[in-house]
Amino acid sequence: EVQLVQSGAEVKKPGESLRISCKGSGYSFTNYWINWVRQMPGKGLEWMGRIDPSDSYTNYSPSFQGHVTISTDKSISTAYLQWSSLKASDTAMYYCARRDSSSSDAFDIWGQGTMVTVSS
Amino acid sequence: DIQMTQSPSSLSASVGDRVTITCRASQSISRYLNWYQQKPGKAPKLLIYAASSLQSGVPSRFSGSGSGTDFTLTISSLQPEDFATYYCQQSYGAPLTFGGGTKVEIK
């Protein structure tokens, strides 16, 4: 079964660092870009950025550039999203999603989501 | 950035109704338009890609149309499991952008 499995929920304080993960299985991990999408409570979907696991090339939304880092370890088929200094406004659900270049670059497989809560 | 505007933002409909949701891009995106369904507490699910191609496993009551700047998602006969929020997304160019969503509720 093709799937993306994300790490569990996190509760952090402002200023703390965090890295969440997204592990792919059931397919060739390096053949598909991984995207990260934010959903703030009660709000819509926002694309944060993407990574090509084959060469770690990344592409960020201007809204998130400089505030998060996307990386990958292809040896364990895992992508990461990390913050060096969290803010309360980072409280949200974060999804990873696989981009399928044969389907108009749509996101055909999604992780289950990781809830990040930032509160003092 | 390409702005995606969905309408309506919400609608109430009954089982069996035909439902249409529209999505407009701020510039031409050819047919690089995808539709997703999201139910409460769940990850989004791909329904339609490339404006009108049905994702594998998605019921045929879902259809998409359009090109350029104007697109439509149609549910031909609304079923109880279709009550959800629907999002359009352009994959024409980065930054990729989503519409604001359309919540389909039970009348």
Side-chain angles (χ1 to χ4, degrees):
Chain A
E1 179 191 5
V2 175
Q3 58 180 350
L4 295 172
V5 178
Q6 298 185 229
S7 50
E10 301 275 0
V11 179
K12 292 289 189 179
K13 291 181 165 48
E16 291 186 333
S17 62
L18 174 65
R19 187 177 78 168
I20 62 175
S21 66
C22 169
K23 183 174 177 61
S25 61
Y27 72 99
S28 178
F29 186 71
T30 54
N31 286 355
Y32 296 83
W33 291 47
I34 293 291
N35 294 262
W36 287 96
V37 176
R38 183 176 79 173
Q39 187 167 39
M40 300 178 77
K43 302 298 184 182
L45 304 171
E46 301 173 90
W47 180 75
M48 302 176 71
R50 59 191 176 186
I51 189 164
D52 180 349
S54 67
D55 62 7
S56 294
Y57 173 80
T58 54
N59 195 198
Y60 293 92
S61 165
S63 300
F64 294 92
Q65 178 91 44
H67 186 55
V68 297
T69 301
I70 297 171
S71 61
T72 186
D73 184 340
K74 61 185 179 182
S75 70
I76 55 171
S77 301
T78 300
Y80 302 99
L81 178 66
Q82 68 181 65
W83 296 259
S84 59
S85 181
L86 287 159
K87 304 175 184 177
S89 58
D90 293 318
T91 294
M93 180 72 81
Y94 293 88
Y95 294 102
C96 62
R98 186 183 84 162
R99 166 239 199 191
D100 185 359
S101 60
S102 67
S103 301
S104 185
D105 294 344
F107 299 170
D108 66 334
I109 302 293
W110 293 68
Q112 82 277 19
T114 297
M115 184 67 207
V116 174
T117 302
V118 184
S119 175
S120 55
Chain B
D1 298 6
I2 300 173
Q3 307 303 317
M4 305 301 294
T5 303
Q6 273 183 250
S7 61
S9 56
S10 65
L11 65 90
S12 295
S14 300
V15 172
D17 283 354
R18 182 181 182 88
V19 169
T20 298
I21 298 168
T22 63
C23 181
R24 174 165 289 176
S26 61
Q27 67 182 69
S28 177
I29 57 170
S30 185
R31 294 176 62 81
Y32 286 88
L33 190 283
N34 312 304
W35 290 97
Y36 301 88
Q37 175 194 66
Q38 187 179 33
K39 296 182 179 179
K42 299 294 187 182
K45 172 188 172 184
L46 178 63
L47 298 176
I48 301 283
Y49 64 91
S52 61
S53 295
L54 195 66
Q55 175 69 352
S56 176
V58 174
S60 59
R61 62 181 179 273
F62 291 93
S63 64
S65 65
S67 66
T69 60
D70 293 308
F71 302 87
T72 299
L73 173 70
T74 299
I75 310 172
S76 60
S77 178
L78 198 65
Q79 298 302 299
E81 60 267 31
D82 301 337
F83 292 95
T85 300
Y86 294 84
Y87 294 93
C88 62
Q89 178 218 21
Q90 65 83 13
S91 52
Y92 181 79
L96 308 183
T97 44
F98 291 88
T102 296
K103 186 173 184 179
V104 177
E105 298 176 301
I106 302 171
K107 182 182 283 185

